[in-house]
Amino acid sequence: MLRVIGAGFGRTGTMTLKTALGMLGFAPCYHFTEVFAHPEHLPHWAAAADGREPGAWRVPLHGYAATTDWPGVVFWREMSEAFPDAKVILTIRDAAEWYESMRNTVFAAIGGRFPETAERFRAFEAAEHLAAFREAGLIGRSFAGRIDDRDHVIACYERHNDEVRRTVAADRLLVFRVEDGWAPLCAFLGVPVPDRSFPRSNAREDFRSTVLRAPAG
């Protein structure tokens, strides 16, 4: 049963949050990297995103304690309604910085600007379902069908964040910047602060090596 729902778009510290949640005992946590470790999940994500089976997102999340990043963020509202006791964490960062990070990582990969990554995508056994989710879920539902206009993409990002803030009850929501570290996260989740440094994961320069790589553990 989900205990934590990550409502922040990718490139807002979602891999860092995944790692931190694991260190705090909220594991396993579903992040985009999970779809490459479990390609059998992708037909369910795609079917939920394009509306053929709206509740199919539940199938991949069986046994997970938390989510961050895509594909789960597409269904943050449905998850928050289905798991009313789960906490919701909205990771954010400066919109212009976020866009540049997306442009140089996720959008670059979608556009085939990383030749080695493009080859790995083509060889991926669930590539067709991954492409279907990308079009219906990531591009379609997160960015209203297009990612070629900076102002439009930023407007989608800001609108999403505003909607989460308006929708989720204040006592259930943490708006979180990863540079804030352990204190607000642990206070929100009601757990002690670890005696280890707060993690830092998936910087832009590491993106290519993390794409299609199965999660550790």
Side-chain angles (χ1 to χ4, degrees):
M1 179 177 292
L2 286 182
R3 300 164 62 197
V4 178
I5 298 166
F9 277 179
R11 310 311 300 171
T12 59
T14 53
M15 178 61 85
T16 294
L17 179 60
K18 169 185 166 68
T19 304
L21 289 172
M23 294 168 68
L24 296 174
F26 297 87
C29 178
Y30 207 108
H31 177 275
F32 190 66
T33 51
E34 293 289 316
V35 301
F36 304 120
H38 300 285
E40 71 277 8
H41 291 176
L42 277 162
H44 302 291
W45 289 119
D50 68 17
R52 285 177 290 123
E53 298 178 48
W57 57 266
R58 292 173 176 268
V59 178
L61 293 178
H62 180 73
Y64 283 84
T67 68
T68 71
D69 204 86
W70 289 289
V73 69
V74 171
F75 309 99
W76 69 270
R77 185 187 293 273
E78 293 92 328
M79 291 178 190
S80 65
E81 293 174 353
F83 299 96
D85 294 329
K87 299 281 192 174
V88 180
I89 301 177
L90 175 65
T91 44
I92 63 169
R93 65 188 295 190
D94 174 80
E97 293 178 358
W98 168 81
Y99 174 79
E100 287 304 311
S101 181
M102 285 290 294
R103 186 176 68 85
N104 288 297
T105 56
V106 177
F107 295 162
I110 290 172
R113 301 207 301 271
F114 299 150
E116 71 278 24
T117 299
E119 181 60 34
R120 294 164 75 189
F121 270 92
R122 283 192 293 270
F124 181 50
E125 61 185 280
E128 180 180 348
H129 295 297
L130 178 60
F133 173 79
R134 180 189 67 207
E135 294 303 314
L138 197 156
I139 298 175
R141 292 183 57 166
S142 297
F143 299 109
R146 58 192 180 97
I147 57 174
D148 58 350
D149 180 89
R150 178 184 184 275
D151 291 344
H152 168 78
V153 168
I154 288 177
C156 289
Y157 168 73
E158 293 179 332
R159 183 164 55 247
H160 168 83
N161 291 344
D162 288 344
E163 185 177 0
V164 174
R165 289 186 177 101
R166 289 196 310 269
T167 302
V168 181
D171 61 352
R172 190 186 178 195
L173 175 67
L174 174 66
V175 179
F176 184 63
R177 295 178 182 269
V178 293
E179 57 264 33
D180 294 339
W182 286 124
L185 181 63
C186 292
F188 177 67
L189 296 174
V191 296
V193 174
D195 60 0
R196 291 177 287 175
S197 298
F198 191 78
R200 291 290 186 269
S201 305
N202 202 12
R204 184 185 306 181
E205 58 269 21
D206 299 327
F207 178 79
R208 289 194 230 187
S209 65
T210 62
V211 171
L212 291 181
R213 187 179 68 189

